[in-house]
Amino acid sequence: ALGWEQAAALPAEFRGTELDLIVTSNLIRTKETAQPLAESRGMLPLVDEAAREIRAGELEMNSDEESIRIYHETVEAWSRGN
């Protein structure tokens, strides 16, 4: 239920933001999440077969500032090949 509520809120959250493209992975859940935003913009999401979620391990579902910082630092290091 929370995921549906969050997806329904996306059009309002992105109001005033220009979007050229909406990309999802091939997971049904990601397509369903993008659908309200895509419909509000008259767009069709692009499915990227290579897109995958990153598991956050012990940081999963944490919302404190330190966990968020560590997660972002880790993803950035990973994307640089470290």
Side-chain angles (χ1 to χ4, degrees):
L2 177 60
W4 290 108
E5 290 174 25
Q6 291 171 330
L10 288 175
E13 288 293 321
F14 281 89
R15 187 171 290 123
T17 302
E18 185 176 329
L19 298 176
D20 296 321
L21 185 65
I22 298 173
V23 180
T24 71
S25 74
N26 61 357
L27 298 176
I28 293 171
R29 180 176 51 76
T30 64
K31 295 175 196 175
E32 290 174 345
T33 299
Q35 195 61 37
L37 179 59
E39 285 179 0
S40 75
R41 299 293 180 99
M43 300 171 75
L44 291 174
L46 171 68
V47 177
D48 183 344
E49 299 290 333
R52 291 286 177 258
E53 293 183 26
I54 299 171
R55 294 190 189 271
E58 292 179 8
L59 301 174
E60 195 78 41
M61 301 304 292
N62 290 353
S63 59
D64 61 281
E65 288 185 28
E66 182 178 9
S67 293
I68 293 168
R69 179 186 57 75
I70 292 169
Y71 173 80
H72 285 283
E73 288 174 357
T74 302
V75 170
E76 288 172 17
W78 174 77
S79 69
R80 290 189 305 269
N82 296 334

